[in-house]
Amino acid sequence: MQLLNDAPLAPLTTFRLGGPASRLVTATTDDEVIAAVREADDAGTPLLVIGGGSNLVIGDKGFDGTALRIATTGFSLDGTRLELAAGEVWTDAVARTVEAGLAGIECLAGIPGSAGATPIQNVGAYGQDVSATVTEVVAYDRTTRETVTLTGAECAFSYRHSRFKEHPERYVVLRVRFDLEDADGLSAPVKYAETARALGVEAGDRVPLAAARETVLKLRAGKGMVLDPEDHDTWSAGSFFTNPILTAGQYEAFLARVAESLGPDVVPPAFPAGDDAVKTSAAWLIDRAGFTKGYGSGPARISTKHTLALTNRGGATTEDLLALAREVVAGVRDAFGITLVNEPVTVGVEI
C-alpha cells in the first residue's frame, strides 16, 4: 500500500482537474482497501474513493481527507461467469470477454474507468446496461464494518442509479460478478438504432462480437468518448448530464414549450421509460437551447464532437468547468423548463 501526502488528484481524473488530497493511499488488494477505509473511519477522516477517475469533478481546493485509489487487479472466467476486481480497467475487461466469445457487455466497450464503478452508476451505452448481466457485487459495508455480497436485485438498479449511488458513504465496491452469454461468437441482440445502422442490420439481430465492439468503439471515438491524451475532446467525463425522465404531465408541458420556441413541427426525441414516463435526450436539449458543439470561449468548452460532453481544453480550472455547466443548465431550463442533472460525482463543489 502506497501513501503520499499533499498528493495531486488532477492526474487521476479524466478531466485533469482538481486540487490535491491531504493524503493519498493506493491499495492493490481487497485487504488493503478495507484496511484503508477502516483507518479513515476510525479516525473520523473524510474518505474519497477513486477508481479510474472518469466520473469525478474535484474542486480546485482539493480534498481535505484521505483519497483512496483502488488499484486492485483480478479477471476470472468460469464458463459464462465473470468476476472482476474493482480496480480492473473496464474497457480492457470488455475486450477480454469479447476475445473469450462471451456476449453481454460488448457494447460497453471504450467506456473509461474501473470495473468497480460500473454497478454504482449502472453504466450503460448503446443499448446495454451492466444491470442486465451483474449477478453479485462484493462490497465493504462501512456501517456494519463487514464485507457483504449483494445480489443484482439487491443492488436496486435503475437508470444510471443503484443502491451504491443512493448511499455513497456506505459501500466500497471490491468485486463485481457477471453472468454473460455464450452465443457461438455472436453478440447479444443489437438494441440501439444507431449501432444497428452502423452495422447494417436490423434491431434485434446478432452480429459477430468483434464487429459489435469495433463498431461501438468507432461510434464513441467519433463523439470524443474514447480516451486519447492528444485529443482535448476526451479530457472530459463523457456524458456530463443524464437524459431527463419525464412524467406524462411533464412531457406534455415540454412538448408545448418545444412547439412555442421551435415550431409545431419539431418533435423532440422520446423513448418509453416505464410507468408512463418518457425519456428525452439531454444532448438534443443542450443543442436546441443554443449550446452547440464547441460552445464556449474559455479553457472549458463543450466538446467539438458531442454536445453532451464538457471538456478541459487545457489550462482550465474546476471553476471554469462549473461555470460552463451552470450556464448550460440555466439555458436548458429557461428554454424548455427541464433541469438537467449532472452525471459525474462532484467533490467539494456543486453545479
Side-chain angles (χ1 to χ4, degrees), residues 43-283:
T45 303
L47 180 70
L48 171 64
V49 178
I50 300 176
S54 60
N55 205 42
L56 279 179
V57 178
I58 299 173
D60 293 317
K61 292 182 179 179
F63 183 70
D64 185 13
T66 296
L68 170 60
R69 178 172 172 261
I70 297 182
T72 54
T73 57
F75 178 103
S76 174
L77 266 179
D78 180 8
T80 60
R81 297 186 177 184
L82 169 68
E83 179 177 289
L84 298 176
E88 279 289 325
V89 176
W90 174 252
T91 193
D92 292 348
V94 172
R96 292 177 70 177
T97 65
V98 169
E99 290 170 3
L102 297 176
I105 56 175
E106 62 279 1
C107 291
L108 305 180
I111 294 177
S114 62
T118 59
I120 297 173
Q121 191 74 4
N122 186 16
V123 163
Y126 295 98
Q128 289 183 343
D129 297 301
V130 293
S131 58
T133 50
V134 169
T135 57
E136 293 180 330
V137 175
V138 180
Y140 177 69
D141 186 334
R142 297 169 67 187
T143 299
T144 63
R145 296 176 64 86
E146 61 183 2
T147 300
V148 297
T149 300
L150 303 176
T151 65
E154 290 171 331
C155 293
F157 290 122
S158 60
Y159 173 65
R160 301 297 170 266
H161 202 69
S162 69
R163 180 175 182 171
F164 311 105
K165 193 170 180 179
E166 183 74 20
H167 304 284
E169 301 298 321
R170 179 167 181 177
Y171 299 101
V172 178
V173 174
L174 301 173
R175 299 192 166 264
V176 189
R177 294 171 181 151
F178 305 80
D179 191 11
L180 304 178
E181 179 187 8
D182 185 347
D184 295 323
L186 296 179
S187 69
V190 176
K191 295 181 179 179
Y192 202 69
E194 183 183 16
T195 314
R197 286 195 300 270
L199 287 161
V201 300
E202 298 294 324
D205 289 348
R206 294 177 183 263
V207 298
L209 277 165
R213 174 178 174 270
E214 290 163 8
T215 297
V216 166
L217 287 173
K218 288 179 181 177
L219 290 172
R220 292 185 64 86
K223 299 172 184 178
M225 299 291 187
V226 177
L227 295 182
D228 178 352
E230 302 303 316
D231 182 359
H232 282 274
D233 278 328
T234 74
W235 289 31
S236 74
S239 299
F240 196 88
F241 300 103
T242 57
N243 290 321
I245 296 178
L246 310 175
T247 65
Q250 290 171 332
Y251 183 62
E252 289 302 317
F254 168 52
L255 289 179
R257 294 286 289 268
V258 170
E260 179 184 350
S261 59
L262 301 178
D265 296 330
V266 176
V267 180
F271 310 93
D275 296 328
D276 295 324
V278 177
K279 179 168 68 175
T280 191
S281 166

